[in-house]
Amino acid sequence: EIVLTQSPGTLSLSPGERATLSCRASQSGSSSYLAWYQQKPGQSPRLLIYGASSRATGIPDRFSGSGSGTDFTLTISRLEPEDFAVYYCQQYGTSPQTFGQGTKVEIK
Amino acid sequence: EVQLVESGGGLVQPGGSLRLSCVVSGFTFSNYAMSWVRQAPGKGLECVSDITGSGNNRYYADSVKGRFTISRDNSKNTLYLQMNSLRAEDTAVYYCAKRSGGYLGAIDFWGQGTLVTVSS
C-alpha cells in the first residue's frame, strides 16, 4: 500500500500569510490520482484539489496544488479566517486508497 | 443537489453487529463507485471499503477484511456496510462517500457521518 506522509504536522500562521503543505508518497503512483481535502471541526471533509492540481467545483483560486512522482504540495496563497482547518492528502489511483495523517493549519 | 444520508450507527457491544445504510440522491447512483471512510475520535481518515458502480468489484482494508461487507442496491440508491464481530477499535464516525468515477476517482461528496461506538 502507498503510505502518504504529510508535513508539518501543525502549521501556525496568521491570516493573510501563505501556507505551504507537503505530502510525500512512499512510492510513485500516477500523479493524476492525488487529492487534497479540508476538514473543519465537526464537519465532513471537503474536496479541494484532485488530479494533483485541479481545483474542485467552487474552490477559491487561493488554493492550488502541485507536484508529481512522490512529492506534492498544497498552497494557500493568502489565508482567510475560514481556512484554518485540518488538511489531508489522498491517493486514489492504487487500491487501497490511502490518506495522509493530516496537517493542522492553526491561527498564530 | 447531491445528498448522502447515512443511518444505522449507534452503541454496540464488542462482538456485535451493525448495518449502516446510505441513501443518496442528486446523481445517477449506478454510475459511480462508492466508499465507506471512517474517522476514529481525534484521528485521521481511513478508507475501510470501496465498491464499483456496478457492484462487481469490492475492496476492504485489512483491518476489516472478513468482518465487514459492502454492498449496494442501485434500484434503491442505497449503499450498505454490514459490520460483524465489532471491536473497540472500530469505534469511529463512518462516512458514506461518492467517488468521482465509476471505478476510481477522488471523493467529491461526503455524507454527514454516523457514529459507531463499540463498548461494553
Side-chain angles (χ1 to χ4, degrees), chain B residues 61-82:
Chain B
D62 287 343
S63 57
V64 307
K65 201 171 293 182
R67 301 188 298 124
F68 289 12
T69 301
I70 192 170
S71 62
R72 63 192 295 160
D73 186 336
N74 287 344
S75 69
K76 294 183 178 179
N77 283 0
T78 304
L79 177 72
Y80 303 99
L81 185 68
Q82 178 67 44

Side-chain angles (χ1 to χ4, degrees), chain B residues 45-109:
Chain B
L45 302 168
E46 178 191 20
C47 178
V48 297
S49 191
D50 299 319
I51 187 168
T52 53
S54 65
N56 290 338
N57 292 284
R58 310 172 194 209
Y59 158 78
Y60 299 96
D62 287 343
S63 57
V64 307
K65 201 171 293 182
R67 301 188 298 124
F68 289 12
T69 301
I70 192 170
S71 62
R72 63 192 295 160
D73 186 336
N74 287 344
S75 69
K76 294 183 178 179
N77 283 0
T78 304
L79 177 72
Y80 303 99
L81 185 68
Q82 178 67 44
M83 304 186 294
N84 299 330
S85 303
L86 283 162
R87 306 167 180 166
E89 55 264 36
D90 296 319
T91 294
V93 173
Y94 284 74
Y95 295 102
C96 169
K98 172 187 170 294
R99 308 286 292 272
S100 59
Y103 185 74
L104 295 175
I107 296 174
D108 54 2
F109 290 94

Side-chain angles (χ1 to χ4, degrees), chain A residues 37 39 44-45 88 92 96-97, chain B residues 35 39 47 50 59 99 107 111:
Chain A
Y37 300 86
Q39 187 178 33
S44 305
Y88 295 95
Y92 53 91
Q97 59 172 315
Chain B
S35 300
Q39 187 169 37
C47 178
D50 299 319
Y59 158 78
R99 308 286 292 272
I107 296 174

